């Protein structure tokens, strides 16, 4: 009898984003003291944070950097062996992949780093990660919270939104689905030539863990925004009130997307200029035979159901460039250089 | 070369609950006109309803009945072949199982019906189910809604909570995990003898799709409640306000459970007495290595984080008995008799 | 000994707005079935409505009309004798004033009608008004509600916002304060020439019962909007969601004004085009020595604290003109002609 | 011609409560750091605080004390001369009254102190009070806020609830109406003998600025609770969540009163045991001819519309006694002794 065929490796969830910031203390103040995230660990000029409902070591890495860059979007895989299995699959495809040692991000085990074909974004995959207890002064009496709700109540990382130039967005999205297993949930396209404008994809019940959208200025390798999750629409309204009084710059919102049916508020992180979304309330997909919902630019309800509209012609320029990461040498990771070398 | 071993069958999600009611029109008025569910189809004295975010044919079956009974809790499986694969597994275990023809519940394909060992609840499994469009007068402009939000805003079925007598709850819960694949997420137990009081289990990212709890009056085969999902905590507060003014009897709430971190309101459905929970806001589990969180009766925060406490000594008696279903003949289903024969 | 000098007459509160609509049934459907107001009485083509927390006969009069007009903004005075006392004061000032008989608006006693100097708006003042019980099928178990909360939860009329041409707004506002006793609470002005742009005034603890603003297109005698009150910010978000799905046209919002600190949503009433504001949450002024807060156009936070901005260059054109009312003959009232003659 | 007869003096609003606490720093931490009030001034062991929407110097005085006592409930009068006019009226009635010098409470002008006949509570009346700006680090960009919203968002003092023994509550309430001008808004009484159980009274549009209720244990001169105002129901839910996680003891709630239609949460202030209510959403009374709404004990909806019930047999014992204040010497004020001598 032959061995059972290996099940293909799978991604389980968004893991963390690593953001370079020219003003580390300002950025840290924003995420920790205003949004209410926990500072779990600091190694030199790199700080690791998580939301109050996240049990694992971190979902946000802030590191000092001359410019606002995104070092990586990272994802956790479903099983320990999936790290190695993805390595094999990428190699077989000819996608260059580097192995990052345990501790490259503090608290994390061995990881893979590679650049998404066509889009140029640096992604990392890992399984092992510590789950440290919070210090007693912020610990929660609820077993499912790592710490108490504080600040504006960010409870967890929610999703990533990345941008690619128009000629690459279709190919990049197809690769994300085929190679990484993201399922298309909703999308915007031009029917005449079936050109993909944007796609919301997930490996969980969320409508999107990862969205990819066309950059209208033609730039590749951009982060449009990273989103953090709040419990209720009312939390988003309170956050808007508070952030306005702190004179934090709003990009858009509060409002509600038709796609995903969640409320949003996009702000500019004061230390770096990265675009941060506060996000609450999307529907969940449990139907095993869900078919992706297609919108066209003729129907603006998908992008803006109500509230202030997002200026779609504005790229996430201040929200980072990962140009350097498309070269082989970049596979080591900016963040290592900036934060830990 | 041998054939690839079959992957085990899996349950994808809660499907529907079938509730018998002595006052069908009163019950229908409650779910349709007050809670805001859509009446999708009526066959004789059986009515099929769904929430505004449910694309499939129904999640609630109401049928005329002399007494308030629960005919079945049903679940949708992940793949078409899982119906047959579950049939084989149950047969191999000696669990009696009946095949229900397509249309036994309107809009649904072939289903299995069996009685959960130890607990005595009638469960049904199916894959195929229609996804009809709503009539234009209630249709939604959002692609992810089957109809517009109406009434108190029930958007979907959320979960089932069943009760078994103290001597059976541990065995029944183990069977649900081993045979059906439900994962234990949180639980209450007595540490001294490791006696299980209640367990919250799921096959999705929800903290529970199915909870099983000890009946303190010793009765088996009880439904404690069935829960429907609202979007925000504020919707729950508005629902409480409205239902009080309609003189609907409250069993408990509004309040917040520590387990699951959701807000709740338990009311008595006016036509039948079945206990219905309105529910909003639980956290989601995306961690692939989630370990079940254990509470003891010494820590009441799990059951009641804040708000009016549930009287745990009160069984779901008015909320139905499925005594009859533990016999072989019952496998045909009460609802068939009552509603469609 | 001489008689005690009469205390000056005072206005107690906003009473009602009378709106002409070309599509009476569409407008009625909007206010009654969607917003949830009670239809208290119908006399020919005139319908009287109130919110669920209003005990008196009506706060909204809808009447069939070829064009969308505002017949009157009416106010209730503090004491029975204040109707007569205001009559004397206006006459002494040379402001033309007509006495409307009891029943001119159904359920109401004798009223005064006059045109606000400079601004040209028709106002009415009255004291006596019936307080009918709601029919049992919508009655509330709460003593302070006239009916149960229904629809989107409009609980009462909140305030009026009127527009005058730039050369008259300052004089009109002064007259409203001097002759009617409205207190200035917040205002926008151009400091260089102390030109008044807008003023929020009240006779109650509200920041405004009556606002007057400069019409940027130069038109006088305009209604900018009439506002109805919702209980919580979350009710406003649900209203936005629901009204979008019903394809009701949004003018602006949801958002939050810095002035008054309330959340807003401006929509176009589908039957008439009148601009209706849904409004929730303003602070209350109990300080007896409150000094009006002055904003300048340099500080846009007053108009829009967050959310979609109001297009201030857009007049309330569809929201009615009361041109005719500046003549003596108009003092009889459009509404009488249209609705009750 | 004779002089115009003086208008009677009037109370404008609740001013402040002065609470003695055995653990000043713990109490200060609760009100300032958790509830989010501003510490405006500290004089020895007396600390003055206000909410973010209060412009005047303070609405809460905390002072070190061996036991949890209430030194005074104070009210602001409508006009400067009303302090003197009340002095004359009380003297004419034979109610002993002491004049407190400016600065007796920091920032405040001359005040009167007297004991409410029958009920035995020490009240103070004043007009002049400073309106200091908040320091820049917490100042608000909104002109109508004295500081930014922080912590759980207490925006202002809302109302007082005092208790008297059964034989005195009727007389005390009548005195409050006749002598101080409070208007009865809602009340609970026993119809058979017209015995007053509780009365909600106000001088503003609020349903109550001051409630007086029967002490079921027969004790006089008790504070039942003092209430602080939050903006929305959702703020109350977040407060409940946060306070539970901080292990603050709940007395009752969250829930909604039928009387006043506001949501409530009663907690025990950790430093002193005083009962504090967080309160949001009551309706406002603008009708000049409002007639008090009468409830009977047969209808429990008034006290508890939904949510956890208040144990009415529990007096505000930990919430202070002002026994000493019924003697003449006490008129100097406990707080002066404790905090400022």
């Amino acid at each position: 009898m032959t061995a059972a065929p290996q099940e293909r490796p799978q991604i389980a969830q968004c893991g963390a984003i690593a953001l370079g910031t020219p003003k580390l203390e300002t950025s840290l103040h924003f995420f920790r003291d205003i949004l209410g995230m926990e500072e779990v660990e600091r190694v030199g000029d790199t700080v690791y944070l998580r939301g109050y409902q996240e049990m694992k070591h971190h979902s946000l890495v802030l590191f000092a950097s001359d410019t606002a860059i995104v070092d990586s979007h990272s994802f956790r895989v479903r099983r320990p062996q999936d790290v190695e299995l993805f390595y094999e699959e990428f190699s077989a495809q000819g996608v260059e992949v580097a192995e990052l040692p345990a501790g490259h991000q503090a608290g994390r085990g061995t990881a893979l780093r590679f650049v998404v074909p066509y889009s140029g974004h640096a992604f990392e995959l890992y399984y092992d990660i510590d789950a440290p207890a919070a210090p007693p002064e912020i610990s929660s009496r609820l077993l499912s919270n790592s710490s108490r709700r504080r600040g504006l109540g960010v409870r967890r990382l929610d999703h990533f939104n990345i941008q690619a130039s128009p000629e690459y967005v279709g190919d990049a999205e197809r690769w994300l689905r085929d190679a990484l297993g993201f399922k298309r949930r909703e999308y915007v396209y031009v029917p005449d030539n079936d050109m993909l404008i944007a796609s919301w994809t997930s490996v969980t019940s969320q409508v999107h863990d990862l969205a990819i959208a066309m950059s209208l200025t033609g730039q590749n390798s951009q982060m449009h925004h990273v989103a953090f999750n709040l419990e209720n629409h009312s939390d988003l309204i309170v956050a808007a009130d508070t952030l306005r009084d702190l004179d934090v710059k709003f990009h858009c919102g509060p409002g509600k997307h038709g796609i995903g049916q969640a409320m949003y508020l996009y702000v500019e992180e004061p230390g770096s200029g990265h675009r941060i979304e506060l996000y609450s309330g999307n529907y969940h997909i449990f139907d095993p035979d869900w078919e992706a919902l297609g919108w066209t630019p003729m129907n603006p309800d998908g992008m803006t159901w109500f509230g202030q509209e997002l200026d779609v012609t504005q790229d996430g320029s201040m929200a980072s460039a990962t140009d350097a990461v498309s070269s082989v040498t970049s596979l080591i990771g900016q963040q290592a250089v900036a934060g830990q070398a």
Side-chain angles (χ1 to χ4, degrees), chain A residues 116-121 161-177 184 187-190 194-201 210-216 218-222:
Chain A
V116 174
Y118 308 106
S119 85
H121 296 83
N161 187 312
I162 60 176
Q163 284 187 305
S165 65
E167 69 266 38
Y168 293 137
V169 67
D171 287 332
E173 193 249 8
R174 190 172 309 110
W175 190 87
L176 293 169
R177 292 192 283 125
R184 191 192 275 186
Y187 61 108
V188 181
Y189 73 115
V190 182
D194 197 29
M195 183 176 63
L196 187 69
I197 307 275
S199 174
W200 287 257
T201 73
L210 177 64
I212 182 165
M214 184 180 289
S215 157
L216 293 195
Q219 272 208 281
N220 220 17
S221 308
Q222 296 279 313

Side-chain angles (χ1 to χ4, degrees), chain A residues 20-264:
Chain A
T21 170
K23 297 180 183 171
L24 179 60
E25 295 309 320
T26 303
S27 296
L28 180 57
H29 174 67
F30 178 76
F31 286 106
R32 183 190 55 201
D33 303 327
I34 299 173
L35 298 192
M37 297 182 79
E38 177 191 355
E39 180 183 338
V40 176
E41 188 172 348
R42 181 167 188 150
V43 182
D45 280 350
T46 301
V47 187
Y48 297 87
L49 301 101
R50 64 177 170 186
Y52 73 82
Q53 273 182 356
E54 291 176 314
M55 297 300 187
K56 294 303 190 284
H57 187 272
H58 64 271
S59 61
L60 171 64
V61 186
L62 292 177
F63 61 96
S65 167
D66 287 344
T67 56
I69 59 168
V70 180
D71 175 68
S72 63
H73 298 79
S74 63
F75 300 88
R76 197 162 177 229
V77 296
R78 195 155 304 192
R79 302 167 306 172
Q81 64 267 36
D82 287 349
V83 175
E84 182 62 23
L85 291 172
F86 269 122
Y87 188 96
E88 291 167 14
E89 290 202 357
F90 296 159
S91 299
Q93 282 186 58
V95 172
E96 249 181 316
V97 54
E99 204 169 284
L100 302 175
H104 177 83
Q105 286 189 3
R108 201 178 72 172
T110 305
L112 300 185
R113 182 179 176 93
F114 63 97
V115 173
V116 174
Y118 308 106
S119 85
H121 296 83
F123 274 22
E124 295 180 2
L125 306 180
Y126 64 95
Y127 180 81
D128 292 311
I129 183 163
D130 295 344
E137 62 271 20
I138 60 166
S139 71
S140 174
R141 300 169 63 231
L142 288 171
L143 302 185
S144 48
N145 280 354
S146 50
S147 66
R148 282 198 308 275
R149 177 183 166 140
R150 285 153 296 130
L152 296 180
V154 159
R155 50 181 188 170
R156 61 176 172 85
L157 173 65
D158 194 283
H159 64 262
F160 306 131
N161 187 312
I162 60 176
Q163 284 187 305
S165 65
E167 69 266 38
Y168 293 137
V169 67
D171 287 332
E173 193 249 8
R174 190 172 309 110
W175 190 87
L176 293 169
R177 292 192 283 125
D178 293 345
L180 299 185
F182 285 96
K183 292 174 208 152
R184 191 192 275 186
R185 304 305 203 169
E186 302 202 37
Y187 61 108
V188 181
Y189 73 115
V190 182
D192 290 346
N193 53 4
D194 197 29
M195 183 176 63
L196 187 69
I197 307 275
S199 174
W200 287 257
T201 73
S202 67
V203 290
T204 70
S205 62
Q206 299 199 125
V207 176
H208 65 317
D209 302 314
L210 177 64
I212 182 165
M214 184 180 289
S215 157
L216 293 195
T217 57
Q219 272 208 281
N220 220 17
S221 308
Q222 296 279 313
M223 174 178 83
H224 188 270
H225 65 265
V226 55
F228 293 90
N229 186 277
L230 301 178
E231 195 173 23
N232 285 282
H233 290 166
S234 50
D235 297 312
L236 201 93
I237 297 300
V238 171
D241 217 12
T242 300
L243 294 173
R244 279 292 285 134
D245 218 350
L246 292 166
D247 216 4
V248 170
K249 185 177 174 188
F250 282 26
H251 284 188
C252 169
K256 191 174 190 174
H257 294 303
I259 292 170
Q261 297 195 36
M263 284 197 70
Y264 59 80

Side-chain angles (χ1 to χ4, degrees), chain A residues 224-225 236-237 239-240 243-244 248-257 262-269 274-279 300 302-314 318:
Chain A
H224 188 270
H225 65 265
L236 201 93
I237 297 300
L243 294 173
R244 279 292 285 134
V248 170
K249 185 177 174 188
F250 282 26
H251 284 188
C252 169
K256 191 174 190 174
H257 294 303
M263 284 197 70
Y264 59 80
L265 172 66
Y266 296 93
V267 300
E268 190 169 311
E269 193 271 289
H274 286 298
R275 187 183 294 128
I276 306 298
E277 183 183 22
L278 298 177
Y279 184 89
M303 291 305 292
T304 307
W305 181 238
F306 63 71
Q308 201 183 32
E309 288 171 43
L310 190 61
D311 181 357
V312 289
T313 64
Q314 184 188 31
M318 80 240 50

